Amino acid sequence: DVKVTQSSRYLVKRTGEKVFLECVQDMDHENMFWYRQDPGLGLRLIYFSYDVKMKEKGDIPEGYSVSREKKERFSLILESASTNQTSMYLCASSLAGITQPQHFGDGTRLSIL
Amino acid sequence: SQKIEQNSEALNIQEGKTATLTCNYTNYSPAYLQWYRQDPGRGPVFLLLIRENEKEKRKERLKVTFDTTLKQSLFHITASQPADSATYLCALDLSGYSTLTFGKGTMLLVSP
């Protein structure tokens, strides 16, 4: 089975801090994705990557950046955390191809105080 | 703008009945549609994919239909069980680049 592992289930940080969320997948998937999920707003795509060192903006990239130095690892960076970035963050991966299903980690619940 | 709509209210049904969830979309003609299940505190889990040229797809107690004229997909769970209680999300590739846009999901509650 595909395993997508997110480094923390819960994280509490302060406003202005630089925050790193890590995601690792073990199935050699080409594509990796970062979403945030908020009540009433659903899942929204922040950034995605089709290959190592490649990144593309999703629907809500403002305030975030990403890094993909190795195929299995995709990091989400909050450059200067703000309270409106308090959310559930979900990482996903998939094989290349437009019909491939996405495999999700169990999320990091991030609170910015 | 593109829009995906799922029933926002929870669907409550009795064990053994068939649950039917709806996903409507506007302003787009997707080549395929996916359904996911999400349990509280967990990430979504892929269930089924249906292509535009497929009217219906089945997997065990699950059935998905895709009506491109109505711009609607129906997701059925037959002989529902309390373990089927979860939030169900539909997702479409609105970009053409294999990124998915998810509906907000419908919570299903199956009571014994």
Side-chain angles (χ1 to χ4, degrees), chain B residues 11-73:
Chain B
L11 178 63
N12 288 274
I13 64 168
Q14 271 197 311
E15 184 174 8
K17 302 290 187 186
T18 296
T20 298
L21 308 177
T22 305
C23 176
N24 295 299
Y25 59 93
T26 59
N27 298 333
Y28 195 72
S29 297
Y32 64 95
L33 185 148
Q34 299 185 13
W35 282 90
Y36 289 76
R37 168 185 172 140
Q38 187 174 23
D39 292 286
R42 308 296 299 272
V45 174
F46 171 75
L47 295 175
L48 281 167
L49 177 147
I50 185 165
R51 292 178 168 79
E52 61 178 338
N53 60 350
E54 298 174 316
K55 295 295 185 188
E56 181 179 297
K57 197 84 168 275
R58 291 177 185 262
K59 179 182 175 184
E60 298 172 354
R61 294 185 295 111
L62 308 181
K63 185 179 84 171
V64 173
T65 62
F66 194 12
D67 189 325
T68 55
T69 302
L70 291 178
K71 294 188 182 295
Q72 180 181 79
S73 175

Side-chain angles (χ1 to χ4, degrees), chain A residues 5-13 18-24 32-37 46 63-68 73-79 81 85-91 107-112:
Chain A
T5 303
Q6 295 186 231
S7 53
S8 305
R9 289 301 306 271
Y10 301 94
L11 205 54
V12 179
K13 296 290 182 181
K18 191 169 186 175
V19 180
F20 293 85
L21 302 184
E22 306 287 343
C23 175
V24 177
M32 295 190 76
F33 308 85
W34 274 107
Y35 297 86
R36 63 177 284 177
Q37 187 172 32
I46 305 171
Y64 303 94
S65 63
V66 290
S67 172
R68 194 167 180 199
R73 186 180 297 270
F74 193 34
S75 303
L76 179 71
I77 304 155
L78 285 65
E79 297 291 343
Q85 292 178 309
T86 291
S87 186
M88 170 70 89
Y89 289 88
L90 289 156
C91 174
T108 295
R109 187 163 292 284
L110 176 64
S111 296
I112 307 296

